Amino acid sequence: MTDTAELVTALRVPPGPLTLSTIPTDATPGFGGDKAAGKIALLGLGEELADLQERLFAEGTSGGTRSLLLVLQGMDTSGKGGTLRSTVGLMDPQGVRITSFKAPTEEELEHDFLWRITKALPEPGYVGVFDRSHYEDVLIARVRELAPVEEIERRYQAINDFEADLVGKGTRIVKCMLHISADEQKERLLARLGDPTKHWKYNPGDVDERERWRAYQDAYEVAIERTNTEVAPWHVIPADRKWYRNLAIGELLLVALQAMDLQWPAADFDVATEKKRLADEKPVG
Amino acid sequence: MTDTAELVTALRVPPGPLTLSTIPTDATPGFGGDKAAGKIALLGLGEELADLQERLFAEGTSGGTRSLLLVLQGMDTSGKGGTLRSTVGLMDPQGVRITSFKAPTEEELEHDFLWRITKALPEPGYVGVFDRSHYEDVLIARVRELAPVEEIERRYQAINDFEADLVGKGTRIVKCMLHISADEQKERLLARLGDPTKHWKYNPGDVDERERWRAYQDAYEVAIERTNTEVAPWHVIPADRKWYRNLAIGELLLVALQAMDLQWPAADFDVATEKKRLADEKPVG
């Protein structure tokens, strides 16, 4: 029911200017089924995802230098947390390192914006996941004027250089913008207000930020266009349907891992010798 | 089929000297079923574990200071990785932070042994998991004489002081030693040798370490006795049966979370006002 090639092509942002309003937030490109089928399809990815992730982890323990980095960006309520639970949760937590970036601390503000990012990069063999990322420094930073215009300008190229360097060192980067409509966000905020077990997720400031919705969309459009490189391209994920968002990101992770041609590391010891050593061992314990 | 009270009582190490050889490695205290039933019982914990973990996470975002720390120790092949996958994997990865401690780096060796541990402690709201821990500094460090005897001696009390401080600040600590027999380890090493997809997990040094099996068991006995405090007690988990190990640690996590009496944080805003703000909002987008 999934046409992976179609899905990847549809989600990958083509070079050039981007107009988010022309991309439907409730579409399901590359998938012909409904919600129930989508959930089953996601679980169906689990085995191969886990297998390839374990190969990557194995490679990392055997001198390999490669890793995978998933960058999740999106407006409040767009489902970064849900993606962590439903899609990232399909992988073995032993090999996953999630970093949730909040407003920078004073110490972080004293350094270049990439300082805290560098510290959170996945080690060889790991799947790193950024729940928000260095892109906040050209998104909220632009909308809320948290840095001078020329500094924001500088950052786009700094990000491209940084990411190109990462890719050159063996990190594959999957960048996803979770694309929801303003109406969908309103629904989700109302749902949080209507459920006392979800009040903790609600922040009155979220409503104030909605007044800047258009400014944020503009900032996303500029940021994505300016950092949509060949080596680290952007994907815009229609995210009004949570099940599609989860499935689409699962597919993108799987495709990225498949492209790495991951093999089980060869033994760097003689298997027969080791078997004999264990067989001939004196009693232990 | 699970008698949680019996399980917890059986696994918790009583005060005083410990003799690991008197604790069966293949028992299933507190659980009356077989492997299939044990796997189902583990999955049955998932919902409550996830619910309580989310409450803890919510508390952490709302000014709370509490957290949970699971410490996993055990001989090679004892199943620390499997526990991460099967038990820790039941929780929402968004709220879990796993740290796998390897041999200390040069920088780490220049600091006190607790330096790198402190940096990896869970933030408020998080479940931290240590795959190996500061206990390596009184286990392998003792067996392989990586530090002077008096320094090892000092560390037991340093650990107790450190953990008491953590508990005082709101971290609940669950310490588990995964207890396997030397024969079971041999089986698992042979299984790794027999499967090319598992060769990466095999290290010839593991067989050399088996010659020190007794010394490691001694070191565990001393370490557990010396650090088996009221505020941060040890559990010895019979771990020859992987399914029981996973279930038992799941039960211990659940009991620890239940004891925290976690409540959903109350709204720090007026719900009706917020609903009205959203309803009255000018068009957005």
Side-chain angles (χ1 to χ4, degrees), chain A residues 69-72 99 101 117 120-122 128-134:
Chain A
L69 175 63
L70 173 65
V71 174
L72 297 176
T99 308
F101 290 98
I117 306 298
L121 290 172
V129 183
F130 285 177
D131 166 10
R132 303 186 187 274
S133 66
H134 42 303

Side-chain angles (χ1 to χ4, degrees), chain A residues 107-223:
Chain A
E107 187 191 16
E108 288 168 349
L109 286 172
E110 283 168 12
H111 292 81
D112 181 67
F113 75 106
L114 293 172
W115 180 71
R116 64 176 185 163
I117 306 298
T118 302
K119 291 200 298 176
L121 290 172
E123 291 181 69
Y126 280 85
V127 177
V129 183
F130 285 177
D131 166 10
R132 303 186 187 274
S133 66
H134 42 303
Y135 285 97
E136 291 296 318
D137 298 288
V138 290
L139 292 167
I140 189 171
R142 179 187 162 111
V143 173
R144 306 296 300 255
E145 298 175 3
L146 304 179
V149 172
E150 53 274 28
E151 167 62 9
I152 305 280
E153 272 303 308
R154 182 191 73 81
R155 287 178 182 172
Y156 300 113
Q157 188 59 44
I159 288 173
N160 289 342
D161 293 344
F162 175 71
E163 291 182 351
D165 184 53
L166 282 186
V167 171
K169 287 175 177 157
T171 301
R172 198 167 190 98
I173 307 177
V174 177
K175 302 192 290 198
C176 295
M177 187 264 184
L178 311 188
H179 182 39
I180 56 168
S181 68
D183 286 348
E184 177 68 19
Q185 188 190 53
K186 187 172 184 171
E187 293 283 315
R188 293 183 184 184
L189 290 173
L190 285 168
R192 288 180 180 181
L193 286 171
D195 179 352
T197 74
K198 294 198 169 135
H199 284 167
W200 66 277
K201 293 188 184 186
Y202 184 90
N203 178 348
D206 296 346
V207 180
D208 302 325
E209 287 300 275
R210 281 173 61 77
E211 290 175 18
R212 300 184 179 86
W213 182 273
R214 189 57 248 164
Y216 274 105
Q217 300 290 301
D218 289 345
Y220 268 106
E221 288 172 353
V222 173

Side-chain angles (χ1 to χ4, degrees), chain B residues 99-105 108 111-121 130 133-134 136-137:
Chain B
T99 308
S100 298
F101 290 98
K102 313 288 181 197
T105 63
E108 287 167 352
H111 293 81
D112 181 67
F113 75 106
L114 292 172
W115 180 71
R116 65 175 185 163
I117 306 298
T118 303
K119 292 200 298 175
L121 290 172
F130 284 178
S133 67
H134 42 303
E136 291 296 318
D137 298 289

Side-chain angles (χ1 to χ4, degrees), chain A residues 54 58 61 84-85 92-93 97-98 186 197 200 202 204 208 210 213 264 269 274 277-278 281 284-285, chain B residues 54 58 61 84-85 92-93 97-98 186 197 200 202 204 208 210 213 264 269 274 277-278 281 284-285:
Chain A
E54 190 179 8
T61 65
L84 295 177
R85 187 167 52 246
D92 184 342
R97 288 297 178 268
I98 298 170
K186 187 172 184 171
T197 74
W200 66 277
Y202 184 90
D208 302 325
R210 281 173 61 77
W213 182 273
W264 294 109
F269 50 82
E274 293 302 316
R277 280 179 72 205
L278 273 165
E281 182 188 65
V284 163
Chain B
E54 190 178 8
T61 65
L84 295 177
R85 187 168 50 246
D92 185 341
R97 288 295 179 269
I98 298 170
K186 187 173 185 171
T197 74
W200 65 277
Y202 183 90
D208 304 324
R210 281 173 61 78
W213 183 272
W264 294 109
F269 49 84
E274 293 301 316
R277 279 180 73 205
L278 272 165
E281 183 188 64
V284 163

